Amino acid sequence: MHEDATPLHATKRERLGSRYAARSRKAGKLPAVVYGHKEDPVSVVIDAKEAIAHFVKGEKVFALDVDGGKVETVLLKDLQYDHLGMDIIHADFARVDLDERVITHPHIKLVGEAKGLKKSGAVLMHPLDSLEIECAVVNLPEEIEVDVTGLDAGESILAKDVTLPKPTMVLKTDPETVIATITHVSESEASTESVQTAEPEVAGEKKADE
């Protein structure tokens, strides 16, 4: 078991189906399924408030016990939301070994104050909010920090420029993908863009009142 894995207790679900799942959620439980490692999938429920609090923090590796049985290391693989995309209604967990390598998407956290932002009209663009990497479960990162302090106007930080937390981690995102960039928009450029977006009058076209 991963020494830093968050303990999580689950109870096996004997009755399946949307009606029983709805009853579980109403009772403060979150339906989930545990699968993997050539073992049969197990449908369970976990405490919704406790589990979601861990999910919101970015935790993905858990020490899960079902009905007080053997503790297994599991990886949060997927979350399902309601039709409004607001509430979590189901979770998928995969059984894993600590040395098993998995694909994950840690959040990118920009740190520092970019020097290029001190210039008038400079804007920091952050088109990518996560990186795709391959790593061992034991090294699974919750987020990856990217220092933008030295970033100047007109410059960019690419995925290949990011130093991953562990040398054993492998970047899967396209290396040329832009993580952060600083663009400069002058007042004249903004005015030109505004004019270009206006619909041009076609020569010889009759006005509506004609």
Side-chain angles (χ1 to χ4, degrees):
M1 183 180 68
H2 190 353
E3 62 180 5
D4 295 325
T6 301
L8 200 60
H9 174 70
T11 302
K12 192 172 182 179
R13 281 192 289 163
E14 297 298 337
R15 295 182 174 181
L16 306 179
S18 58
R19 180 175 63 174
Y20 296 109
R23 289 181 182 178
S24 296
R25 287 190 287 268
K26 190 174 182 179
K29 301 296 183 179
L30 179 66
V33 64
V34 184
Y35 60 88
H37 279 199
K38 298 180 180 180
E39 296 184 34
D40 293 335
V42 178
S43 296
V44 300
V45 289
I46 54 181
D47 184 272
K49 185 176 180 180
E50 177 188 5
I52 293 174
H54 293 310
F55 300 161
V56 170
K57 293 177 184 177
E59 297 176 18
K60 293 183 179 180
V61 181
F62 297 90
L64 182 74
D65 77 85
V66 179
D67 293 326
K70 180 182 69 174
V71 177
E72 297 181 298
T73 302
V74 297
L75 174 66
L76 177 64
K77 294 291 289 186
D78 188 41
L79 291 174
Q80 297 175 25
Y81 292 79
D82 62 10
H83 66 286
L84 296 177
M86 298 292 291
D87 297 323
I88 297 173
I89 61 173
H90 193 276
D92 289 359
F93 295 98
R95 302 180 184 95
V96 292
D97 290 329
L98 293 184
D99 295 328
E100 184 176 341
R101 295 184 69 81
V102 296
I103 299 295
T104 186
H105 299 80
H107 175 72
I108 297 172
K109 180 181 180 181
L110 300 185
V111 296
E113 183 177 350
K115 65 179 182 180
L117 289 179
K118 297 178 181 179
K119 299 178 181 179
S120 177
V123 178
L124 175 63
M125 306 296 290
H126 182 26
L128 195 68
D129 61 3
S130 65
L131 279 178
E132 183 177 42
I133 66 171
E134 178 190 300
C135 67
V137 173
V138 70
N139 294 327
L140 205 66
E142 294 181 8
E143 63 181 16
I144 292 180
E145 292 189 351
V146 177
D147 189 358
V148 298
T149 304
L151 191 61
D152 206 347
E155 296 179 344
S156 299
I157 296 177
L158 306 180
K160 65 182 181 182
D161 300 323
V162 177
T163 300
L164 300 179
K166 298 284 185 180
T168 54
M169 294 179 176
V170 178
L171 177 70
K172 291 296 184 178
T173 299
D174 184 340
E176 299 301 322
T177 302
V178 175
I179 302 297
T181 186
I182 294 182
T183 60
H184 183 271
V185 180
S186 64
E187 292 185 5
S188 60
E189 288 175 330
S191 177
T192 300
E193 290 179 0
S194 177
V195 171
Q196 289 177 340
T197 56
E199 184 178 348
E201 181 179 332
V202 179
E205 183 179 11
K206 291 184 178 180
K207 299 294 189 294
D209 58 359
E210 293 180 354

